[in-house]
Amino acid sequence: MLQTNFRLKPISESFFNRLHSIAVQLFMLFFISIIIPVLIGGYLSYKKSARMIEDQVSQVASLTIKQVSDNLNFIFKGLDNTSMRSLSNKTIHEALQAENTPSPYESFKMNSDAKDFIISLMMNSPEIMDIYVLDIHRQNSVVSSPIQSMVNPWESDWYRKTVEADGRTVWFGLSDTSYLKGVNMGIPVFGLGRTLKDVDTGKLVGVLFIEVRGRC
């Protein structure tokens, strides 16, 4: 009788161990069959959401860049048109060659009319700080507004580069220091330079420089 009990005990333990092992295996199989689809679904959902967010951010960034680019192009085109209006203005050309006039009064009148024209350009373009037209013969100049402590234009970098460009538009980058006054403006400024030529002879008669607010 003791022997029979002794034999049944290992058999019982083996059965329960096998049953426990099967239950664990079924649980693991069930757990894996659930967790794997959940993980895969979560990963795919995350990738899709991340891609959608990335596309939206990219679209917003592209739209913002395009708007900034369009605004800058509009400003640059407007400044270029302003320079062309100055270059083609008869009053400015006459003022630059005022030494050929018969009387000092007529010379003064031409210069005054040219300044009035330039001031009218500035009033229509509030981003423009100064427009300066320089007579290369150093006899007459047309200035948009009284410029205090102006640097020597003949020695300036903008004058040299503008003359070397021979009629092409020259853009001067952002600077805290005024190109014309040589002092810190407290805001960034940039500039545009072009040469003026005599319509009949094609000879250089003046240099135009427009100083613009880099931040309005």
Side-chain angles (χ1 to χ4, degrees):
M1 188 67 179
L2 292 174
Q3 290 181 353
T4 302
N5 291 338
F6 177 77
R7 289 176 181 174
L8 288 174
K9 186 175 182 181
I11 293 174
S12 177
E13 289 180 356
S14 176
F15 174 77
F16 282 112
N17 287 340
R18 190 179 298 110
L19 182 63
H20 179 71
S21 177
I22 293 173
V24 170
Q25 292 179 12
L26 289 174
F27 172 78
M28 292 300 297
L29 180 62
F30 179 75
F31 177 77
I32 292 173
S33 65
I34 293 178
I35 196 65
I36 289 179
V38 170
L39 290 175
I40 294 175
Y43 175 75
L44 294 177
S45 177
Y46 166 77
K47 292 291 291 185
K48 184 177 180 180
S49 299
R51 190 179 301 109
M52 291 176 60
I53 293 174
E54 184 179 348
D55 291 342
Q56 291 177 354
V57 171
S58 178
Q59 290 176 2
V60 171
S62 298
L63 181 61
T64 301
I65 292 174
K66 185 178 184 302
Q67 290 176 340
V68 172
S69 177
D70 290 343
N71 290 338
L72 289 176
N73 288 333
F74 178 78
I75 292 173
F76 291 153
K77 185 176 181 180
L79 293 172
D80 196 55
N81 289 338
T82 298
S83 70
M84 287 300 298
R85 290 181 63 187
S86 301
L87 295 176
S88 60
N89 184 262
K90 182 179 178 181
T91 304
I92 290 181
H93 281 268
E94 290 177 344
L96 290 173
Q97 303 176 69
E99 69 275 6
N100 299 325
T101 57
S103 68
Y105 172 77
E106 290 184 12
S107 176
F108 171 80
K109 183 67 167 59
M110 290 179 181
N111 193 271
S112 178
D113 291 342
K115 288 182 179 180
D116 290 341
F117 171 76
I118 288 177
I119 291 175
S120 69
L121 292 179
M122 292 181 61
M123 292 179 65
N124 293 324
S125 303
E127 70 276 6
I128 295 178
M129 299 180 66
D130 278 303
I131 299 178
Y132 181 56
V133 182
L134 179 68
D135 175 17
I136 63 166
H137 301 297
R138 310 189 185 194
Q139 295 181 3
N140 303 286
S141 63
V142 181
V143 185
S144 64
S145 59
I147 299 181
Q148 303 296 329
S149 64
M150 180 176 178
V151 297
N152 184 359
W154 313 105
E155 303 297 330
S156 65
D157 187 56
W158 63 262
Y159 174 79
R160 177 180 58 80
K161 290 183 177 180
T162 302
V163 172
E164 290 175 353
D166 193 32
R168 298 187 302 274
T169 302
V170 182
W171 293 97
F172 298 87
L174 289 173
S175 171
D176 290 332
T177 302
S178 168
Y179 288 95
L180 295 175
K181 303 178 181 68
V183 297
N184 190 299
M185 301 298 295
I187 60 172
V189 298
F190 65 96
L192 177 159
R194 297 187 77 161
T195 54
L196 290 80
K197 294 184 177 182
D198 186 276
V199 178
D200 298 323
T201 64
K203 293 182 178 180
L204 181 66
V205 295
V207 173
L208 166 75
F209 189 85
I210 301 176
E211 190 159 77
V212 189
R213 292 179 178 85
R215 181 178 66 239
C216 298

